[in-house]
Amino acid sequence: MKNMTLKNIAQAVGGVLHAEMLPPGISVDGTEVRSVVLDSRLVEEGGVFIATRGEHVDGHSFISQVFEAGVIGVICEKAPEQPKGAYILVENSFQALKDLAEYYRSQFDIKVVGITGSVGKTSTKEFVASVLAQKYCVLKTEGNYNNEVGLPLTVLRIREGCEIAVLEMGISDFGEMHRLSKIAKPDVCLITNIGQCHLENLGTRDGILKAKTEIFDFMQEGGQICLNGDDDKLIAIREVRGSVPVFFGGGSNNAVYADNYENCGLVGSRAQIHMKGLAGVEERSFEAEIPLPGEHMLCNALAATAVGMIFGLTPGQIQAGIREVQAVDGRSHVIRTDRLTLIDDCYNANPVSMKAALDLLHMTELSKAPEESAYSHETTRKVAVLGDMFELGADEAALHREVGVYAAEKQIDVLVCVGELCRYMYEGAGDMHSETRCYYFKEKEALAAQINAIIHDGDLVLVKASHGMHFEELIEKFIHS
């Protein structure tokens, strides 16, 4: 890792280096470490382990073990007993992680794309990374590594030869994005939308806007901004530190927009994407094949087009990147079993994304897939298995009820509501007196016991809830039922 010697690491984290037990051939100011991890199971010879105190596990108890595995140093809050290698003593290991990532980021002349927003961050990240990979060597956030632990760990994965890092940046309170931006120092700031996430901490959509736009706090000089031009809050941003936003969206008033949209069901969609673009760049267009289902995926493709345009990709390169994007587990991931077709969208949920998922479920039956697709639209029923949405604040009951009403309006055949808050979703759907058959379970274990009675062969099943509901367990149950 570039310039990551024990001496430089200690200086970066403001710690005290104890190097009396260094292995032969290792020097504090000449040997670069190979990796930095928090998980003792991921340590490698020549790496550094950061011992952190978690809710259930204290990493300090694994220090002896990681030295045996060959690490050359440990960052910790208390001195290890009988240390078998070097250690750096700090006041707070989590802060040390952030400080170290900030230092490491400064060692590279690399472009960073920071992506945030209420909905669609992960899918947009996948689209952007796929597009940029047509021309550059790209590092992207893996999994859900988008917070004040995950983002620094992602930054610490940068290596020589990497040209662009695409970093997902997620928050739940004020000040968090400010700290993430300080680490990432983005060259391009992309905001997908301002929805109804984390209202418990952020209060209103204006509060969410304020918190998300902290991403601009440490944007690099001359940086670019990409914003959803169909979002009423984001469209009001006209200039940030001399940067005029590149807007993307459905309307032709945006710098990047689409028309001739065709929904192809679970195999994705098609659209004509236009780039009016940047100053001095002539308008160009291309036909996009978007391989992930749902109309909301078009917005993600438009965002990726805007970023690709900023980095000088050709329409053909952008087109190829969109076509090659892969689904991520838990995000509109289509799974076919012998009995069912599942839409695994269970990673997270809020009112906006819930409605978008219900739109997908509703439209799939109405749309026609290309002849080459193996997917059949002879699905017997459309089933939505929905769970609680967390961190919605004082309006949580009304927002859950609103989703239940929406499901009934979309004529979903079966609505299964799971969780304490989903009682309101169940009641909202019931109040519509529609033909939607509704079920309510306080706990997912109760549903699991009755899955075979509720779900029929041939059903198209949407599964969605906030991450804390752990609906991935239901997905496994459906697959093996």
Side-chain angles (χ1 to χ4, degrees):
M1 299 178 70
K2 185 176 181 181
N3 293 330
M4 290 283 275
T5 63
L6 290 173
K7 180 179 179 181
N8 288 344
I9 291 172
Q11 290 176 343
V13 302
V16 178
L17 173 62
H18 297 264
E20 297 82 6
M21 301 295 293
L22 272 179
I26 303 297
S27 68
V28 296
D29 56 0
T31 304
E32 294 178 341
V33 306
R34 294 181 180 177
S35 63
V36 178
V37 299
L38 268 64
D39 189 334
S40 62
R41 296 166 296 183
L42 301 178
V43 297
E44 61 178 306
E45 187 175 355
V48 164
F49 171 67
I50 302 181
T52 56
R53 302 176 192 272
E55 186 176 346
H56 303 293
V57 179
D58 186 348
H60 291 79
S61 62
F62 298 99
I63 289 178
S64 178
Q65 176 182 316
V66 299
F67 277 130
E68 292 290 343
V71 300
I72 62 173
V74 168
I75 297 174
C76 51
E77 296 174 7
K78 62 179 181 180
E81 297 180 5
Q82 299 179 335
K84 299 177 182 178
Y87 66 94
I88 299 170
L89 209 56
V90 297
E91 290 186 7
N92 185 294
S93 294
F94 284 112
Q95 183 59 50
L97 170 66
K98 289 182 279 191
D99 291 340
L100 185 57
E102 182 181 348
Y103 163 77
Y104 189 60
R105 162 73 176 97
S106 70
Q107 303 307 299
F108 291 89
D109 182 18
I110 183 176
K111 298 297 184 183
V112 169
V113 179
I115 299 175
T116 192
S118 297
V119 181
K121 293 185 294 295
T122 299
S123 296
T124 300
K125 175 257 298 181
E126 293 297 322
F127 274 89
V128 170
S130 183
V131 165
L132 294 178
Q134 303 302 310
K135 183 177 180 179
Y136 300 99
C137 178
V138 176
L139 171 78
K140 67 178 180 179
T141 300
E142 298 293 346
N144 62 339
Y145 276 36
N146 65 3
N147 59 15
E148 290 189 74
V149 174
L151 182 133
L153 288 173
T154 301
V155 168
L156 290 168
R157 289 175 44 229
I158 297 172
R159 295 294 184 270
E160 295 279 6
C162 182
E163 297 172 288
I164 300 178
V166 180
L167 304 180
E168 181 179 335
M169 302 168 71
I171 63 164
S172 60
D173 210 340
F174 296 107
E176 291 180 24
M177 186 62 72
H178 176 87
R179 295 188 290 273
L180 293 180
S181 181
K182 188 172 186 285
I183 297 168
K185 293 183 174 58
D187 298 272
V188 175
C189 298
L190 190 160
I191 305 181
T192 61
N193 47 56
I194 302 298
Q196 295 171 308
C197 297
H198 310 299
L199 291 172
E200 187 174 30
N201 295 328
L202 302 178
T204 65
R205 287 184 68 222
D206 285 330
I208 294 169
L209 176 67
K210 182 177 184 296
K212 296 290 186 183
T213 52
E214 289 176 3
I215 193 174
F216 304 145
D217 291 355
F218 292 91
M219 182 175 70
Q220 297 276 26
E221 189 71 27
Q224 292 273 354
I225 298 169
C226 292
L227 304 176
N228 185 343
D230 296 336
D231 186 284
D232 62 317
K233 298 296 183 181
L234 294 176
I235 195 67
I237 300 174
R238 309 313 302 178
E239 182 269 338
V240 176
R241 292 168 50 194
S243 176
V244 176
V246 176
F247 287 104
F248 58 88
S252 58
N253 56 307
N254 293 296
V256 176
Y257 69 97
D259 55 22
N260 298 325
Y261 177 77
E262 179 186 358
N263 189 323
C264 300
L266 293 185
V267 297
S269 60
R270 296 190 185 96
Q272 193 75 16
I273 293 182
H274 304 272
M275 301 182 291
K276 290 193 298 187
L278 303 171
V281 178
E282 62 179 308
E283 181 171 349
R284 296 166 293 173
S285 64
F286 61 92
E287 183 176 306
E289 296 178 11
I290 304 166
L292 304 186
E295 188 171 353
H296 55 291
M297 292 297 176
L298 173 59
C299 187
N300 300 338
L302 293 172
T305 300
V307 176
M309 184 174 65
I310 287 172
F311 281 98
L313 273 71
T314 67
Q317 289 170 324
I318 297 172
Q319 181 186 51
I322 292 172
R323 185 174 59 245
E324 294 172 11
V325 73
Q326 299 291 313
V328 178
D329 288 348
R331 275 91 165 183
S332 298
H333 182 208
V334 178
I335 304 171
R336 293 181 175 87
T337 74
D338 293 339
R339 293 187 57 221
L340 310 169
T341 300
L342 298 170
I343 304 174
D344 172 12
D345 204 14
C346 70
Y347 180 76
N348 220 337
N350 58 63
V352 173
S353 66
M354 277 285 198
K355 291 176 182 178
L358 289 167
D359 286 340
L360 169 60
L361 186 62
H362 170 70
M363 290 300 297
T364 295
E365 186 182 56
L366 300 177
S367 61
K368 183 177 180 181
E371 293 182 0
E372 65 270 16
S373 170
Y375 176 71
S376 169
H377 287 274
E378 296 175 358
T379 303
T380 56
R381 301 183 308 169
K382 296 174 290 182
V383 181
V385 180
L386 307 182
D388 288 352
M389 302 176 289
F390 297 146
E391 299 182 4
L392 295 180
D395 293 332
E396 61 184 10
L399 292 170
H400 279 80
R401 183 181 294 274
E402 188 178 291
V403 170
V405 169
Y406 196 80
E409 289 176 341
K410 289 296 179 180
Q411 302 175 334
I412 303 304
D413 295 304
V414 180
L415 174 64
V416 183
C417 305
V418 185
E420 296 269 3
L421 294 170
C422 266
R423 173 170 59 89
Y424 302 107
M425 191 184 295
Y426 172 77
E427 293 172 355
D431 289 346
M432 296 298 291
H433 303 292
S434 70
E435 296 184 4
T436 299
R437 179 174 296 180
C438 300
Y439 298 86
Y440 172 67
F441 297 91
K442 188 175 181 180
E443 298 174 344
K444 63 178 181 291
E445 291 76 15
L447 166 61
Q450 298 190 43
I451 278 181
N452 291 332
I454 295 173
I455 307 299
H456 299 170
D457 288 358
D459 283 350
L460 171 61
V461 184
L462 165 69
V463 184
K464 188 168 182 64
S466 279
H467 186 59
M469 292 294 289
H470 298 290
F471 265 28
E472 65 275 7
E473 298 170 7
L474 282 180
I475 291 291
E476 287 299 312
K477 199 78 174 177
F478 282 125
I479 290 174
H480 297 106
S481 64

